[in-house]
Amino acid sequence: MANINPKRSGAGRHVGIVGVGQTHHSRRRTDVSQAGLVREAVDRALADARMTMDDIDTVVIATGPVLFAAVNQPEKWVADAIGAQLKPIVRVTSGGGAGFAGGLAGYYQVAGGYADRTLVVAYDKLSEGALQYSISTLYDPFWGREFAVGIMGFSAAYWRARMGPLGHTEEAAAMVAVKNLKNAMANPYAHVKREVTVEDVLNSKPLCWPIKLMDVPPISDGAAAVVLCSEDVAHHYSDRPAWIHGISYCCEADNAAERSLLLSEPLAIAAKHVYRAAGITNPRRQFDVAEVQEPYTCFELNYYESLGLCPPGGAAELIASGATQLTGDIPVNPSGGCLGANPIGAAGLIRLIEGAAQVMGRSENTQIKDAKLALVQSGGGWANLRGCAVLGA
């Protein structure tokens, strides 16, 4: 578990996001190598922060497992490509939450006083790796691999466990797909842009009941980067940084038989720590916008409840009410979320970018009016790694 509030913990300084950049995501970015893909995001983030690589003190590189993109120790290649030779570099990997974990690692470097300006870049070029093989061999060889069947088998069981007790119906999850895909149409970086109906989702190809084809995000090539600064220097690079008021990442055992499949306990714990640090007592009313990382539509329903946006069993009613639409009181995934683009290693950092852009008042897709406080969620593994952050103007 990792959580921090710098002014209460003695860890150091406030940290702000002063520059963001991401690539145009697609199924196959054949126009660039992996290093070129990373360079595209880094150049945009540095330009956004009015910096060059010479200004950067430290670099964090985040990716999915090496088999996802079939390059071992990719940080060596990336360091050369972005001009980061002789700078302190660390690579972080954490499955689907790698990008968020990279953001947390960079946050600690700045908050702890090790650096004033840290570049975090996350990416995956999934078109070049053995994704399904990699996912199926992530787990222990004695029990986990036999059960995993990739990740979809577990996710289907995870959803099925909540359908009866909490009412996480196929229809409710289909509403998530309709909302997020529609939002992605306004996102210039999105991979998938299409308008669908609840009926389209329900009638799409069955994969592993109750998961259907339109419940599943795409497989994308893409990269994302952010520049983090201490409060001492942030004003040199941004007139309106996105301040990180709290950030936390928690883990529970990956053995499904020993876990509750109703509430995401690591996410609820992470939210408790972050909300305390940020002074959040009523998430539904205090947040202006939320960006969550939904590997399948059913997970977004679970996040509503685990993050306290509604009580347990209230997710279906929340999505049906329109509250999480762009016009609702708590818009969720104005960017389109993972259903719009899903470069797995970068997905968590993209959520931070989208949340930061909202509170900075310059979202490139759909800006939520007067957004001052954003909730960001990410995670990976067998739904056992979960984290969240609060970003403020």
Side-chain angles (χ1 to χ4, degrees):
M1 180 178 73
N3 61 86
I4 191 168
N5 176 359
K7 292 304 182 184
R8 294 182 186 176
S9 67
R13 305 164 296 179
H14 285 307
V15 179
I17 296 173
V18 298
V20 301
Q22 60 180 301
T23 63
H24 291 81
H25 312 292
S26 68
R27 178 63 186 92
R28 290 177 177 84
R29 284 292 305 271
T30 57
D31 57 316
V32 289
S33 66
Q34 292 180 35
L37 190 71
V38 171
R39 181 65 182 255
E40 186 177 312
V42 168
D43 285 351
R44 289 173 178 172
L46 290 174
D48 191 42
R50 305 192 294 268
M51 289 187 192
T52 69
M53 185 57 70
D54 289 339
D55 298 308
I56 296 298
D57 300 317
T58 62
V59 178
V60 177
I61 298 168
T63 69
V66 293
L67 285 177
F68 277 20
V71 175
N72 193 26
Q73 295 185 323
E75 64 274 18
K76 297 177 179 178
W77 190 15
V78 167
D80 283 348
I82 64 176
Q85 298 92 337
L86 304 181
K87 293 186 182 291
I89 288 181
V90 63
R91 175 173 172 258
V92 175
T93 185
S94 178
F100 186 86
L104 181 69
Y107 176 92
Y108 272 122
Q109 290 188 8
V110 177
Y114 182 69
D116 280 322
R117 294 161 293 264
T118 292
L119 171 71
V120 180
V121 59
Y123 77 99
D124 254 326
K125 206 162 190 287
L126 299 174
S127 64
E128 297 184 0
L131 178 60
Q132 290 304 324
Y133 171 77
S134 178
I135 289 175
S136 294
T137 55
L138 285 173
Y139 309 104
D140 78 81
F142 300 104
W143 186 86
R145 291 183 191 175
E146 290 296 322
F147 179 80
V149 195
I151 191 64
M152 193 175 295
F154 169 76
S155 297
Y158 196 66
W159 183 2
R160 181 66 185 88
R162 300 195 305 273
M163 291 180 77
L166 298 178
H168 290 195
T169 63
E170 293 178 84
E171 290 78 8
M175 293 178 193
V176 171
V178 171
K179 170 181 68 69
N180 289 357
L181 286 170
K182 183 177 181 179
N183 291 351
M185 294 178 69
N187 184 344
Y189 302 103
H191 167 184
V192 176
K193 301 181 181 185
R194 61 188 300 191
E195 195 160 359
V196 301
T197 66
V198 169
E199 290 71 27
D200 291 334
V201 180
L202 295 177
N203 294 327
S204 61
K205 181 181 178 180
L207 298 178
C208 185
W209 190 83
I211 295 174
K212 298 162 290 299
L213 185 60
M214 288 189 184
D215 290 307
V216 182
I219 297 171
S220 310
D221 288 351
V226 301
V227 179
L228 303 174
C229 275
S230 70
E231 58 190 328
D232 300 327
V233 302
H235 65 281
H236 293 301
Y237 308 106
S238 175
D239 298 327
R240 186 184 170 102
W243 297 105
I244 301 175
H245 295 315
I247 184 167
S248 180
Y249 200 33
C250 299
C251 179
E252 64 177 329
D254 67 2
N255 189 327
E258 297 175 357
R259 295 167 52 192
S260 167
L261 299 185
L262 298 181
L263 187 73
S264 175
E265 292 183 287
L267 182 55
I269 293 169
K272 178 181 177 181
H273 287 287
V274 168
Y275 291 171
R276 183 190 304 144
I280 302 298
T281 56
N282 189 335
R284 171 76 180 273
R285 299 306 174 196
Q286 287 178 265
F287 288 116
D288 300 302
V289 62
E291 279 283 336
V292 304
Q293 183 181 339
E294 81 296 11
Y296 297 98
T297 54
C298 59
F299 281 95
E300 185 167 318
L301 300 174
N302 178 254
Y303 300 152
Y304 294 165
E305 297 173 3
S306 300
L307 289 166
L309 300 179
C310 64
E317 181 181 353
L318 185 68
I319 185 72
S321 73
T324 59
Q325 299 280 355
L326 294 177
T327 55
D329 61 85
I330 178 64
V332 177
N333 283 347
S335 67
C338 291
L339 287 178
N342 189 38
I344 295 175
L349 195 63
I350 293 170
R351 305 281 73 75
L352 278 171
I353 286 174
E354 297 292 353
Q358 288 288 347
V359 300
M360 295 165 92
R362 48 191 185 85
S363 173
E364 292 187 65
N365 39 72
T366 303
Q367 176 65 50
I368 302 302
K369 185 179 179 181
D370 298 326
K372 294 181 175 63
L373 208 61
L375 173 63
V376 173
Q377 178 277 332
S378 178
W382 278 16
N384 63 312
L385 294 166
R386 288 290 180 260
C388 62
V390 174
L391 304 179

